[in-house]
Amino acid sequence: VSTQSTGSSGINAEYGGAATNNWWKVDLHKPYFISSVRIHNRRDCCQDRLDGAEVFVGEKKCGTIVFESGKYAYDLDCGYVGDYVKVVQNNNELTLCEVQLHGLAMGSVI
């Protein structure tokens, strides 16, 4: 299953879902320097589904989530440039409550 939606900002997010080999991807439409990614986990049940999920900026892997009981937000330092961010969970269902990207559009002035 693959589904696509467009938010009010025009940024596209799509996902594929099954019992395994799940993913979520946001298309940023242009290169961004992504300094970090914060993923918010669900609180009601099934929090361990996020264990082992991998986060990518473009083709570069930022890191892998290691589940901790009672933890509901996971921060991954990235430091990569890409035009999309993808979360991949090959071993379980993937449930994301919120994904926050921190960074700058390439060419932006600080």
Side-chain angles (χ1 to χ4, degrees), residues 1-20:
V1 173
S2 179
T3 303
Q4 185 172 356
S5 63
T6 302
S8 59
S9 65
I11 302 294
N12 295 333
E14 54 185 312
Y15 63 92
T20 60

Side-chain angles (χ1 to χ4, degrees), residues 5-102:
S5 63
T6 302
S8 59
S9 65
I11 302 294
N12 295 333
E14 54 185 312
Y15 63 92
T20 60
N21 301 320
N22 293 287
W23 55 272
W24 174 91
K25 177 181 174 182
V26 62
D27 181 354
L28 303 172
H29 298 291
K30 62 182 179 180
Y32 279 77
F33 173 80
I34 304 296
S35 57
S36 65
V37 175
R38 172 173 260 210
I39 297 180
H40 293 266
N41 200 2
R42 62 188 295 168
R43 292 177 181 252
D44 57 346
C45 77
C46 321
Q47 293 92 359
D48 62 336
R49 288 181 181 170
L50 209 50
D51 189 46
E54 298 175 318
V55 179
F56 296 86
V57 173
E59 298 295 320
K60 304 265 187 180
K61 183 175 166 183
C62 291
T64 302
I65 295 173
V66 177
F67 171 72
E68 294 178 39
S69 182
K71 186 173 183 177
Y72 300 107
Y74 294 87
D75 295 301
L76 298 167
D77 292 326
C78 295
Y80 296 123
V81 174
D83 59 356
Y84 67 89
V85 173
K86 189 172 185 177
V87 180
V88 177
Q89 175 54 287
N90 290 321
N91 302 315
N92 205 340
E93 295 179 54
L94 179 62
T95 306
L96 305 171
C97 288
E98 182 177 347
V99 178
Q100 296 174 328
L101 309 178
H102 303 275

